Amino acid sequence: MAGSSFSRALSGLAGALRGARLPSEVRTALDLEPGERLLSHARAPEGDAGDGGGYAVATTLALHLPGGQRLPWHLVDKATWDENGLTVVMTDGEIHAVALPEPGLLPETIRERVTSSIVASRHVSLDARGGVRLVARRVPGSDQPRWDFVFDPGLDASDPGLRALAEQALEEVRRSLGV
């Protein structure tokens, strides 16, 4: 008995690592850029895409969500997984959530792609209320990184005084890093 349980577990692991092929109609429907390659995918349950299900697909350039949303890696601030599925927070604060009961290798792929897009990340104190995280990200097709401000919780990102302090801090960080 123990041997058959082990065989089923090993077979399941091999299947997860190998992954089922992405259906050709899903692959065709993706809005892929020239040279963009598929890395991993996971199926969403019925109803998540409004068309009887869908797939979350990670490529070399973006995360494609069920329903056709494309999230370029350099615009993804963070992604988290829990029992409900995937939650992606964009650099502009927009949040995307999708249920993925069997994520396969998608979590690892997303982590690797988001992490590899980051050139530099520094937290700088602005005043007694808190600080800002300055993040430089690689943008495909550009030699210049994109810099984002991630203000500490409770700070108003639209406050002109804080924005000026953050801009000043960014110039100092850019000078110190040579970027």
Side-chain angles (χ1 to χ4, degrees):
M1 259 332 197
S4 65
S5 295
F6 178 75
S7 296
R8 281 193 304 274
L10 191 56
S11 174
L13 177 61
L17 291 175
R18 187 176 57 250
R21 290 190 53 87
L22 187 65
S24 61
E25 64 274 8
V26 175
R27 180 186 296 258
T28 302
L30 291 173
D31 182 24
L32 299 180
E33 294 182 10
E36 187 173 8
R37 293 179 296 107
L38 302 177
L39 299 174
S40 64
H41 65 275
R43 182 154 175 65
E46 291 285 323
D48 268 22
D51 60 2
Y55 286 82
V57 180
T59 70
T60 51
L61 299 177
L63 175 64
H64 299 260
L65 297 180
Q69 288 181 296
R70 177 188 174 88
L71 310 178
W73 297 122
H74 68 279
L75 299 179
V76 175
D77 184 43
K78 66 179 177 179
T80 57
W81 294 89
D82 61 21
E83 64 278 355
N84 297 318
L86 168 67
T87 302
V88 179
V89 179
M90 306 303 290
T91 57
D92 65 2
E94 186 176 352
I95 297 173
H96 302 273
V98 62
L100 296 171
E102 295 182 30
L105 295 175
L106 200 56
E108 291 86 353
T109 304
I110 291 171
R111 180 179 183 86
E112 184 276 327
R113 299 312 300 176
V114 171
T115 301
S116 70
S117 75
I118 298 172
V119 176
S121 179
R122 299 287 187 274
H123 186 272
V124 178
S125 293
L126 297 177
D127 62 18
R129 297 175 290 169
V132 64
R133 184 168 42 106
L134 306 170
V135 184
R137 297 173 189 275
R138 288 180 186 83
V139 178
S142 174
D143 292 337
Q144 297 299 312
R146 170 195 163 104
W147 286 90
D148 292 306
F149 298 138
V150 182
F151 288 91
D152 288 348
L155 293 183
D156 180 6
S158 64
D159 177 332
L162 285 177
R163 296 288 301 180
L165 290 171
E167 291 284 349
Q168 183 180 8
L170 174 59
E171 288 309 311
E172 291 173 19
V173 167
R174 290 179 74 176
R175 261 193 308 277
S176 73
L177 295 176
V179 289

